[in-house]
Amino acid sequence: MRNLSKVTALAVLMSFSGAVFTAPALAAPDYAKIEERKKAKTRVMGERVGKKVIKAFDLYAEEKLDEAIAMLKELEPSDDFDKATVNRYLGSMYAQKEQYKVAIKYLQLAVAPDILNFADHEQSLKTLGDMLAGTEQYEKAKKAYVAWMDFTGQEDATVYTRIAQANHQLGKFKDVFEPADKAIKLQKEPNKGPYQLKLGSYFELKDYKNMVKVGEEIVRVWPDDKKAWVGLGKYYLQTEDYKTGLSTMEVAFKNGYFETEVDYKVLSNFYSLNAIPFKAAKVLEDAINEKKVKRTKQNISAVASNYHRSQEIEKAAKYYEEAAKFDGDAELYRKAGSLLLQSQNYSAAVVRLNKALELGSDKKGTIYTDLAEAYYYQEKYKQAYAAIVKAMDDPRTRKFAKGWSTYIKDKAARNGVKI
């Protein structure tokens, strides 16, 4: 990992809790029967049917697929094995024509009598499951896959993944975990498919704690996966584990894993939720300036708000005003003016506060009180008095304004200004 010590990344990984799942078998194979079938003598088609099948395959080799299918369909085998074998070939050829519904029909006819040679029968069952899944016949696909496991006595990671996927597509989210966990256990090389199915199912079930556990497992298995780290960080928002979420997103950020503006906004949000507003503002500000995050009113307002919380008054005022300019937001102009007043930039405060009034702010009492203060400290006592009188019109600031009006009037008089 670059830009971040491996010790730090390992510490984050070790903090994740693991999840162990156990599940009963999905299939119930009869191993004695399976061995008997495997040892059975290989059957061949009758001579009459076999010759015509060879001719059909000659046509197939010449890329005359339709003619080959027509020849096979003309056959009327009397032997059950011959019928099943011809139906298997027809299923295969229709699949190549991408006529999957017809292909499925013939494959179902092929496997129904359970008479094909072992290798042909097991391959037909798996292919049937794949085609049923591909045509969104998920319940039938699951039955075909389970039949394949019962017939062969084998457990296969890909088959279990497809059963899990079928359950997910059917909205049977609780039934996803058993086959997905079996797929994960059987994998020779790690594959994200079953993990993603579990993530999606836990999300649909609103089981965010277990969703986080799966996300942590993905990061353990694929520690250099950019999206895994970023995704895990976002999952912690759902469980309100803001501290771990921040640690995870910092790992992703410092390793250069961010790819979308949402990633930067999530990190900024985590800093804010962990009461680190300055970093919340700085991360978003830098991302905006580097054009990784759009310069929108919402994003600029977020920068302003976090600088405000961190008492970076002048920066906050600057960004409040920038945000206000997007659509003439009176409240944001008022905030900018109030902060400029706080930083003793009185003339600039007056400009922003008057702009808020011009745009029709509904906080007139507060604005006139701030204006009175800004004028007062500039020794503009007449303007200060006029502003504080207007503040008396607002019930929310009337009492405060009355006290201030007397004080301003007395101060003006002491300075030789008649009001």
Side-chain angles (χ1 to χ4, degrees):
M1 292 185 176
R2 61 186 184 282
N3 301 327
L4 184 70
S5 72
K6 291 186 177 180
V7 174
T8 304
L10 182 60
V12 175
L13 282 170
M14 290 176 67
S15 71
F16 298 152
S17 59
V20 179
F21 301 91
T22 58
L26 286 164
D30 183 336
Y31 292 102
K33 186 177 179 181
I34 291 168
E35 284 303 311
E36 184 181 338
R37 286 291 301 269
K38 284 183 177 179
K39 293 175 181 178
K41 185 178 179 181
T42 301
R43 295 188 62 175
V44 295
M45 289 184 291
E47 185 176 355
R48 181 185 66 83
V49 175
K51 286 180 178 180
K52 291 188 177 180
V53 167
I54 291 171
K55 288 182 181 180
F57 271 92
D58 287 340
L59 291 170
Y60 172 81
E62 296 171 9
E63 298 185 2
K64 296 178 180 179
L65 188 56
D66 289 334
E67 290 89 336
I69 288 172
M71 181 169 286
L72 289 176
K73 288 178 73 174
E74 288 175 0
L75 293 173
E76 294 183 356
S78 57
D79 181 80
D80 288 341
F81 174 78
D82 289 357
K83 283 182 184 178
T85 303
V86 170
N87 284 330
R88 176 173 174 266
Y89 292 147
L90 282 168
S92 176
M93 290 183 184
Y94 273 113
Q96 290 193 42
K97 286 173 64 68
E98 298 184 1
Q99 293 184 20
Y100 298 118
K101 289 185 178 180
V102 181
I104 287 168
K105 181 188 78 171
Y106 280 108
L107 280 177
Q108 287 173 328
L109 290 170
V111 300
D114 191 11
I115 202 171
L116 292 170
N117 289 315
F118 189 89
D120 293 339
H121 192 82
E122 71 96 0
Q123 185 58 51
S124 297
L125 283 171
K126 187 181 279 190
T127 303
L128 179 58
D130 292 345
M131 282 198 283
L132 287 165
T135 54
E136 301 182 3
Q137 299 180 67
Y138 299 115
E139 287 290 0
K140 291 180 179 179
K142 287 195 299 178
K143 289 178 181 178
Y145 288 134
V146 172
W148 176 83
M149 287 190 283
D150 278 338
F151 181 79
T152 63
Q154 296 178 36
E155 290 188 300
D156 181 82
T158 301
V159 169
Y160 276 125
T161 300
R162 288 171 182 169
I163 292 173
Q165 187 172 23
N167 284 326
H168 192 278
Q169 292 291 340
L170 290 165
K172 295 183 176 181
F173 302 115
K174 290 182 180 179
D175 294 337
V176 166
F177 308 118
E178 180 183 336
D181 286 329
K182 283 187 167 290
I184 290 167
K185 186 177 179 181
L186 289 166
Q187 287 176 349
K188 293 179 181 178
E189 293 292 332
N191 181 284
K192 290 193 185 77
Y195 291 96
Q196 296 295 342
L197 288 166
K198 288 176 67 176
L199 274 178
S201 297
Y202 279 128
F203 178 80
E204 294 292 344
L205 293 168
K206 295 182 171 56
D207 187 348
Y208 301 124
K209 287 185 178 179
N210 275 318
M211 185 177 76
V212 163
K213 288 179 182 178
V214 177
E216 291 170 347
E217 182 64 20
I218 291 173
V219 167
R220 272 197 294 271
V221 178
W222 292 278
D224 295 318
D225 187 313
K226 298 179 181 181
K227 291 183 179 179
W229 279 95
V230 173
L232 178 58
K234 294 172 184 176
Y235 304 152
Y236 285 117
L237 283 173
Q238 300 288 348
T239 58
E240 299 182 5
D241 187 353
Y242 303 134
K243 184 177 180 181
T244 311
L246 175 57
S247 299
T248 306
M249 291 303 283
E250 282 184 323
V251 169
F253 176 62
K254 291 173 182 177
N255 280 282
Y257 292 168
F258 284 7
E259 294 180 343
T260 70
E261 77 168 55
V262 172
D263 301 341
Y264 294 94
K265 290 162 79 171
V266 169
L267 176 58
S268 176
N269 195 25
F270 270 126
Y271 278 126
S272 181
L273 290 166
N274 281 279
I276 314 173
F278 179 82
K279 282 193 173 181
K282 191 72 170 65
V283 162
L284 199 54
E285 178 187 39
D286 289 347
I288 290 169
N289 290 336
E290 292 167 11
K291 296 184 179 179
K292 293 173 180 176
V293 171
K294 293 177 183 176
R295 205 173 198 94
T296 64
K297 178 184 177 182
Q298 181 183 23
N299 293 335
I300 295 296
S301 295
V303 173
S305 177
N306 280 302
Y307 271 136
H308 191 173
R309 288 175 59 208
S310 58
Q311 296 300 306
E312 293 285 336
I313 302 302
E314 291 185 4
K315 287 184 177 180
K318 168 192 166 185
Y319 282 111
Y320 275 135
E321 182 174 6
E322 182 180 341
K325 289 178 178 178
F326 276 90
D327 56 3
D329 190 313
E331 176 59 13
L332 292 179
Y333 273 115
R334 184 198 69 76
K335 287 184 177 182
S338 178
L339 290 180
L340 287 166
L341 172 63
Q342 189 176 329
S343 65
Q344 300 181 10
N345 195 340
Y346 302 122
S347 59
V350 167
V351 173
R352 278 70 179 179
L353 292 167
N354 278 321
K355 185 69 174 179
L357 288 172
E358 178 189 324
L359 291 168
S361 172
D362 59 356
K363 294 184 179 179
K364 290 184 172 59
T366 301
I367 293 173
Y368 281 122
T369 299
D370 284 347
L371 275 171
E373 185 177 348
Y375 284 129
Y376 175 84
Y377 286 114
Q378 293 180 83
E379 299 182 356
K380 297 179 178 180
Y381 301 116
K382 287 187 177 182
Q383 292 97 317
Y385 186 76
I388 207 66
V389 168
K390 289 183 178 179
M392 292 185 212
D393 294 336
D394 190 331
R396 294 169 291 185
T397 54
R398 184 174 295 148
K399 184 176 180 180
F400 175 80
K402 281 183 179 180
W404 250 86
S405 66
T406 301
Y407 182 81
I408 293 170
K409 197 171 185 179
D410 289 346
K411 182 72 172 180
R414 288 196 298 272
N415 283 274
V417 177
K418 186 176 180 180
I419 295 177

